[in-house]
Amino acid sequence: MSVRFNPGALSTEAAAQVQVATIPRLPPLHVPRPRLVEALLEARCRLRLICAPAGFGKSVLMNECARLVPADTHLVWLDLGGRSFTAEALYLQLSKVLNYAAPASGNAQQDLTILLDEFPRPLWIMLDDYPREATAQFDACLDLLLERGPESVSWWVSSRRQPAWKLPRLLLQGDLFELEAEALALTGSELRQLLRVHRLELAEDTFKQLLNGSEGWLAGVSLLLLSADEQAVRERLVAGTPLLRDYVHKEVLDGQSEDVRRALFSLARMPRFSSKLCEHILDGIGADILDVLKTFQLFIRQIDNCGEWFRLWRPMALMLQRMPEAVSPTQTHLRACQWFANRGEMREAVEHALWAGQPEVAANFLQRYGQEQLLIGDNVSHFMKWRSELPQDLFNSTTRLIVLHGWALIISARLDEVEDCLADLAKFFPQPDARRQAQLLAQWQALRGFLARLRGEPEARSYCLQALEVLSDHAWAQRVLCYQALSQQAMADSQLELAQQYNSEGMKLARLKGSVLYEAMLNVDRIQLLEITGEFERAVGVLEESLLVLRDNVRHSPIIGRLKLLQGHLLAYQGLDEGAREAYQQGRIETETCGDSYVFFGYAGLAELAARNQELPTAYHWLREAERLTQWRHVPEARFRGILPLITAVTWLYQGQLKKAKSGFLQILELYDGHTYLAPSGFYELLPRVQRYLAVVDMLSGRCVLAIDTLRELIEQNLRSQRLGLACECRFTLAEALQLDGQLAEADLELRKALGEASRQHLVKPLYELQHRQPQWLGKVLPTGKDESLRDRLLQFEREPEELIASSEEMILSNRELTVLRLIAQGCSNQEIAEQLFISLHTVKTHARRINTKMGVARRTQAVARAKALAWL
């Protein structure tokens, strides 16, 4: 031990007493925060830095840690009070509290290094409230001590300013553990503990408002809770309190330069800002103002992962907006509006124009809003909000705004209101010349055609075809949507080959224009087409690829939500219920957030999944939520005609209420009886699926002969239409009906055929019904292993060799194979087929070889002749 220290001056017991005496007392309403204390104590590093704005509990947190100093470690607590400090002052303080006797050499850096090197015990040095103003000499001294000081010294620093130290280097070396404002913010459990200390109970909605409105800012919450009841808390969240305003003045604004104050008051109005935006709206202040605000911890919060975009902490922004000296927002918002418009970010441009009280400017920027942007994030919801904020005559002042409005309404499924848009568009006829007249009419037809498709009206096809004949290349987005409507109409009409052609045309145009969103939107239809034709593996592949592409381009989109809902649907069909449930929930939240009407399918899918697993209360819950959603969002019944009654009737069927189920299924048929409606988009197999369920009801009611006849006819119809998945489901039901009717040999044969088809398609869903009603019979054909799921058992199913060769009547070509065969019949070469279908030449040859094998022929001309004889071409 060095003689320069007095070894008898501090015994262990006396040292502990001195340490406790130098630590400030904890506040009377103190709430312990073990999650943060444990994180700090467990860190093994030279520097623990607690760096955050005023009022986040930095000093109290370090105080908690100081009381847990190890027995063999000496503690030094220095309250710097945020004032300027020097290396010489630090040396004097440390040498005094550590009883260091050597005289100073005049080189404070060197003296501090020697002092710390020679101290005989582990040492914690806690610097509370580090200097708030830049102190280059002191920062440099500490930086050197952190880099070269002894391992036995641990530095603890709380600060409102980010010191000018080599923090990235310390972090990479493992010598830094830093806590920032986000980590220091109160969690829900900590806020509840604070409320108990204040002897205050809040209703759940008030609690959430307090947590979200304060963003966990400890000082803000504490000042709001002083002498408060629940009503006072609710009022103070809106208006603030004099104490809180005084705190912000004294702890944040006082002592700041005029430029910093002006920046804070201006940025309090901004939902987000970057360095370049600050430079534009804070003209004359300088480009480095954002760096100044970040360095001095003036409530700047990063909101992206790249450090480009920021905002003020919400409670601070609200307090600044309410203050008398707050700047007028008009000029700030107009400058921001101009900046965003120049970058092509029209949503923000419109928002800032409205905040500036300039509806004409907002309408002008809204006209530049790209139709594709409606498929990004929650832009549809914002568009609908703007409609209510802009004067109606201004919103209907141009054809561009009316058309955009119409497409936004279509995404939201507010179909009745689309009629008003069509009427407003009609007021602009006639146009000054023939070209503009034709283009406007085509825009009207495209909108009217998509509306008709969503209502299930057959007129959709003629409207969209007429629009495609005229729409110019500038209106490529509407052309893509027309192709989508035509593809969906063809699927609903069981013209799957035609649906594929329209989908391919739309895809070709979307790719030509480089639109990832429109390509993904068309892939939703393509996936459903593949599912209908039993190509589940390809459907899953296209879906996963689409999600990956979108993930690299947009964070949120209605299309991501639709794909997630489809993922849930496909996973449910493959017996992967947990994954299906999660995907349904993700898709439901995404579509709901984005204002997309497809959210309905999330509720319907979750209800059907729950019913299938006999979770009937859960199923009824989701059904009620689906009904509430359609009413709340003013979605007309035509958009989802028959789907809600279908899922309800299926739930009754699983519950064994056959009469109610049959009544529900017949109600759906009555909706379509006598009308020319087609099935709604997203549920193209509605009517044949209802017919299968009616056959199930007949079978369970003892009318097996009637069910058998119906099911055989349905299988034939579905195979003819290439609805292979539904044909497989019908075959399972037919096998069960035969078994119940005593035709055991034929029942076993049909069951094996059904299992073979299901195995090829990875289709597990129909097995659940059979497992529920006929577990022993299914177990004989599909043996049960230990802990094996139905999916595992199906994938291990081995078909008997003679069953691999289908008769000509039961010959099954996939949808893609049928497409290839038809192009062969048209005289297309393999290369031409590959180009038309966007597949490789090798894939075309593989399809052609499989076609010949399935049809039992040797040459393509023979395959074409055989297909014509079977009326396939």
Side-chain angles (χ1 to χ4, degrees):
M1 184 180 293
S2 170
V3 296
R4 289 190 274 193
F5 285 98
N6 182 354
L10 286 174
S11 67
T12 303
E13 183 179 351
Q17 291 173 353
V18 171
Q19 291 167 28
V20 172
T22 59
I23 302 171
R25 69 179 180 85
L26 292 169
L29 297 179
H30 170 60
V31 171
R33 307 176 78 184
R35 67 178 176 95
L36 299 175
V37 171
E38 288 169 11
L40 286 163
L41 292 176
E42 288 173 4
R44 296 289 178 265
C45 55
R46 292 174 184 265
L47 171 63
R48 295 165 178 86
L49 176 61
I50 309 172
C51 191
F56 275 89
K58 302 180 292 296
S59 298
V60 174
L61 176 61
M62 201 157 74
N63 193 326
E64 281 191 71
C65 294
R67 295 164 189 275
L68 298 172
V69 61
D72 65 336
T73 301
H74 190 75
L75 170 70
V76 176
W77 178 285
L78 297 179
D79 183 2
L80 307 188
R83 297 178 295 275
S84 295
F85 210 66
T86 64
E88 290 78 11
L90 179 62
Y91 174 73
L92 288 174
Q93 291 270 20
L94 288 177
S95 60
K96 179 180 178 181
V97 298
L98 296 177
N99 292 286
Y100 186 65
S105 68
N107 185 332
Q109 178 76 63
Q110 180 180 325
D111 291 340
L112 282 165
T113 302
I114 294 171
L115 182 154
L116 297 176
D117 279 336
E118 293 187 358
F119 191 73
R121 295 166 53 195
L123 183 62
W124 281 8
I125 301 177
M126 290 188 161
L127 304 181
D128 185 31
D129 202 357
Y130 194 78
R132 299 174 195 174
E133 295 297 326
T135 51
Q137 183 258 358
F138 188 55
D139 281 0
C141 172
L142 264 292
D143 197 25
L144 199 61
L145 290 174
L146 289 168
E147 185 177 349
R148 300 181 185 175
E151 295 282 347
S152 59
V153 178
S154 295
W155 294 88
W156 296 64
V157 179
S158 72
S159 177
R160 293 190 193 179
R161 171 176 70 90
Q162 187 121 59
W165 300 333
K166 302 183 187 74
L167 295 178
R169 180 175 178 178
L170 290 171
L171 187 64
L172 289 172
Q173 292 173 175
D175 286 330
L176 169 66
F177 180 79
E178 184 174 8
L179 283 179
E180 296 180 307
E182 284 78 5
L184 295 169
L186 291 170
T187 63
S189 60
E190 289 167 349
L191 178 56
R192 291 189 190 279
Q193 199 174 349
L194 185 61
L195 289 170
R196 284 194 293 271
V197 169
H198 281 266
R199 297 178 181 177
L200 184 61
E201 290 188 14
L202 299 180
E204 188 62 26
D205 61 332
T206 307
F207 175 82
K208 287 179 180 178
Q209 287 179 36
L210 179 60
L211 184 61
N212 295 332
S214 68
E215 291 195 304
W217 180 33
L218 180 58
V221 173
S222 298
L223 289 171
L224 283 174
L225 295 180
L226 282 177
S227 304
D229 56 16
E230 179 163 359
Q231 183 60 33
V233 170
R234 296 177 74 93
E235 292 173 3
R236 290 173 182 181
L237 280 169
V238 175
T241 71
L243 273 176
L244 192 51
R245 284 192 292 273
D246 189 51
Y247 181 89
V248 170
H249 262 296
K250 286 186 168 57
E251 298 293 332
V252 181
L253 297 177
D254 285 357
Q256 303 296 344
S257 69
E258 188 57 38
D259 283 351
V260 168
R261 290 168 67 95
R262 180 187 156 199
L264 286 172
F265 281 118
S266 295
L267 296 179
R269 304 280 179 179
M270 306 293 293
R272 65 171 184 147
F273 49 81
S274 64
S275 178
K276 291 182 178 177
L277 178 55
C278 286
E279 186 178 358
H280 185 81
I281 64 175
L282 300 171
D283 187 36
I285 289 182
D288 61 345
I289 188 64
L290 184 56
D291 290 331
V292 172
L293 299 177
K294 287 191 293 181
T295 298
F296 291 95
Q297 295 292 310
L298 292 173
F299 289 84
I300 302 298
R301 185 166 192 173
Q302 183 177 316
I303 57 173
D304 67 353
N305 295 319
C306 304
E308 180 183 2
W309 288 99
F310 302 85
R311 64 170 173 85
L312 289 188
W313 281 73
R314 193 173 296 118
M316 179 57 63
L318 290 173
M319 287 303 303
L320 292 171
Q321 290 173 25
R322 297 186 192 116
M323 288 185 175
E325 59 266 49
V327 297
S328 170
T330 302
Q331 196 60 33
T332 299
H333 286 309
L334 281 176
R335 283 180 171 273
C337 168
Q338 180 188 48
W339 189 83
F340 279 112
N342 289 338
R343 285 167 53 101
E345 297 183 38
M346 292 304 150
R347 169 172 158 175
E348 281 86 352
V350 171
E351 290 280 17
H352 283 286
L354 288 172
W355 289 328
Q358 302 289 326
E360 295 84 2
V361 176
N364 181 49
F365 284 132
L366 197 52
Q367 289 202 98
R368 301 191 220 168
Y369 205 75
Q371 194 166 310
E372 191 180 21
Q373 288 181 284
L374 293 174
L375 299 178
I376 298 175
D378 58 349
N379 282 353
V380 167
S381 300
H382 275 269
F383 198 96
M384 304 306 290
K385 180 173 74 75
W386 296 332
R387 182 188 70 157
S388 63
E389 293 178 0
L390 284 167
Q392 194 61 36
D393 57 340
L394 196 60
F395 210 89
N396 296 337
S397 60
T398 69
T399 58
R400 173 69 178 162
L401 284 177
I402 295 170
V403 169
L404 273 174
H405 184 199
W407 290 112
L409 288 167
I410 277 177
I411 293 172
S412 304
R414 297 168 73 160
L415 307 186
D416 296 340
E417 296 175 60
V418 180
E419 292 282 8
D420 296 333
C421 286
L422 292 169
D424 289 332
L425 206 57
K427 295 174 184 176
F428 286 84
F429 291 108
Q431 287 285 294
D433 56 64
R435 185 190 65 82
R436 281 191 280 185
Q437 175 84 354
Q439 287 300 312
L440 184 58
L441 178 60
Q443 293 272 8
W444 186 94
Q445 289 170 324
L447 202 54
R448 182 67 183 83
F450 214 102
L451 174 62
R453 162 78 293 263
L454 293 181
R455 287 176 168 168
E457 298 168 352
E459 296 85 0
R461 188 170 185 273
S462 60
Y463 281 124
C464 289
L465 287 174
Q466 290 170 31
L468 283 171
E469 288 179 4
V470 179
L471 283 171
S472 68
D473 188 58
H474 292 295
W476 65 268
Q478 284 93 330
R479 292 182 64 84
V480 171
L481 290 164
C482 283
Y483 282 124
Q484 184 187 33
L486 287 168
S487 178
Q488 292 182 354
Q489 191 82 344
M491 274 195 277
D493 205 21
S494 297
Q495 297 178 318
L496 304 186
E497 176 67 22
L498 189 60
Q500 171 66 37
Q501 290 176 20
Y502 286 131
N503 184 263
S504 296
E505 287 298 316
M507 193 76 73
K508 191 186 302 180
L509 181 55
R511 288 171 177 167
L512 185 66
K513 298 299 179 181
S515 175
V516 170
L517 278 168
Y518 273 32
E519 183 179 346
M521 180 183 70
L522 292 168
N523 268 339
V524 172
D525 299 326
R526 184 184 173 202
I527 291 161
Q528 290 177 308
L529 188 59
L530 290 169
E531 179 223 329
I532 290 170
T533 54
E535 298 185 66
F536 276 86
E537 281 191 282
R538 284 192 59 212
V540 170
V542 172
L543 188 147
E544 290 175 348
E545 183 182 341
S546 298
L547 284 172
L548 282 173
V549 170
L550 284 179
R551 188 183 66 181
D552 294 335
N553 288 272
V554 292
R555 289 182 61 191
H556 295 287
S557 168
I559 306 305
I560 293 176
R562 295 179 190 183
L563 288 167
K564 278 291 181 183
L565 293 175
L566 258 182
Q567 188 178 49
H569 176 72
L570 294 180
L571 288 171
Y573 261 76
Q574 295 171 87
L576 301 170
D577 287 3
E578 283 305 312
R581 194 173 288 107
E582 182 181 353
Y584 273 135
Q585 288 284 23
Q586 290 173 349
R588 181 184 66 83
I589 293 169
E590 184 77 7
T591 46
E592 194 157 17
T593 303
C594 296
D596 185 19
S597 63
Y598 270 70
V599 64
F600 176 88
F601 290 109
Y603 291 104
L606 286 165
E608 186 175 13
L609 195 60
R612 190 180 79 189
N613 290 313
Q614 300 298 308
E615 300 166 356
L616 298 175
T618 303
Y620 287 124
H621 162 75
W622 289 120
L623 286 169
R624 286 192 300 272
E625 287 296 301
E627 186 175 19
R628 184 191 64 81
L629 175 88
T630 58
Q631 294 167 353
W632 178 58
R633 293 204 170 180
H634 308 288
V635 177
E637 194 273 337
R639 171 62 186 94
F640 303 114
R641 184 182 289 112
I643 299 178
L644 200 56
L646 172 66
I647 307 299
T648 304
V650 169
T651 305
W652 288 332
L653 182 61
Y654 280 115
Q655 202 171 1
Q657 299 188 47
L658 299 184
K659 288 185 179 180
K660 288 181 73 173
K662 183 173 183 178
S663 174
F665 293 132
L666 291 175
Q667 178 191 345
I668 299 166
L669 295 182
E670 288 173 8
L671 283 173
Y672 288 85
D673 188 35
H675 302 282
T676 53
Y677 297 136
L678 295 176
S681 297
F683 230 86
Y684 305 104
E685 300 174 316
L686 177 65
L687 294 181
R689 195 165 290 284
V690 168
Q691 291 166 346
R692 185 187 84 83
Y693 280 123
L694 282 170
V696 171
V697 172
D698 284 337
M699 175 187 72
L700 297 178
S701 301
R703 296 186 290 273
C704 291
V705 175
L706 178 60
I708 289 167
D709 292 342
T710 302
L711 288 162
R712 281 180 170 152
E713 185 178 345
L714 282 173
I715 291 170
E716 184 181 342
Q717 290 174 1
N718 288 317
L719 288 177
R720 196 183 310 126
S721 300
Q722 290 292 302
R723 292 192 295 256
L724 305 189
L726 188 52
C728 179
E729 291 185 55
C730 291
R731 195 177 296 281
F732 273 105
T733 311
L734 174 60
E736 185 179 2
L738 289 166
Q739 202 263 354
L740 290 174
D741 195 47
Q743 303 180 48
L744 303 183
E746 194 171 351
D748 282 347
L749 179 61
E750 286 294 336
L751 179 57
R752 290 183 176 279
K753 286 181 181 178
L755 287 169
E757 292 173 11
S759 178
R760 282 193 296 271
Q761 297 179 37
H762 293 251
L763 183 64
V764 182
K765 180 190 174 185
L767 272 71
Y768 280 94
E769 286 186 40
L770 202 58
Q771 172 74 8
H772 178 62
R773 294 192 292 262
Q774 304 287 345
Q776 293 181 340
W777 182 43
L778 180 62
K780 290 179 182 178
V781 183
L782 204 63
T784 306
K786 185 179 180 181
D787 298 327
E788 280 188 333
S789 65
L790 273 177
R791 174 182 170 80
D792 296 332
R793 291 160 61 188
L794 177 66
L795 295 180
Q796 293 174 19
F797 174 72
E798 294 183 4
R799 295 177 295 279
E800 295 178 7
E802 62 267 21
E803 291 176 11
L804 294 174
I805 304 173
S807 66
S808 61
E809 290 79 12
E810 294 177 345
M811 195 183 316
I812 297 174
L813 296 185
S814 72
N815 184 56
R816 179 49 61 95
E817 289 165 349
L818 194 58
T819 301
V820 169
L821 181 58
R822 285 176 175 165
L823 290 172
I824 289 172
Q826 294 171 20
C828 296
S829 66
N830 287 347
Q831 185 61 47
E832 289 170 335
I833 295 171
E835 290 171 359
Q836 285 195 44
L837 299 182
F838 303 104
I839 56 179
S840 68
L841 189 61
H842 172 75
T843 302
V844 174
K845 292 177 180 177
T846 300
H847 282 314
R849 186 169 61 253
R850 287 177 178 168
I851 290 167
N852 289 348
T853 300
K854 285 184 178 183
M855 301 187 74
V857 297
R859 292 187 295 276
R860 46 201 289 163
T861 52
Q862 293 173 329
V864 171
R866 186 85 181 275
K868 288 180 177 178
L870 292 168
W872 287 3
L873 301 177

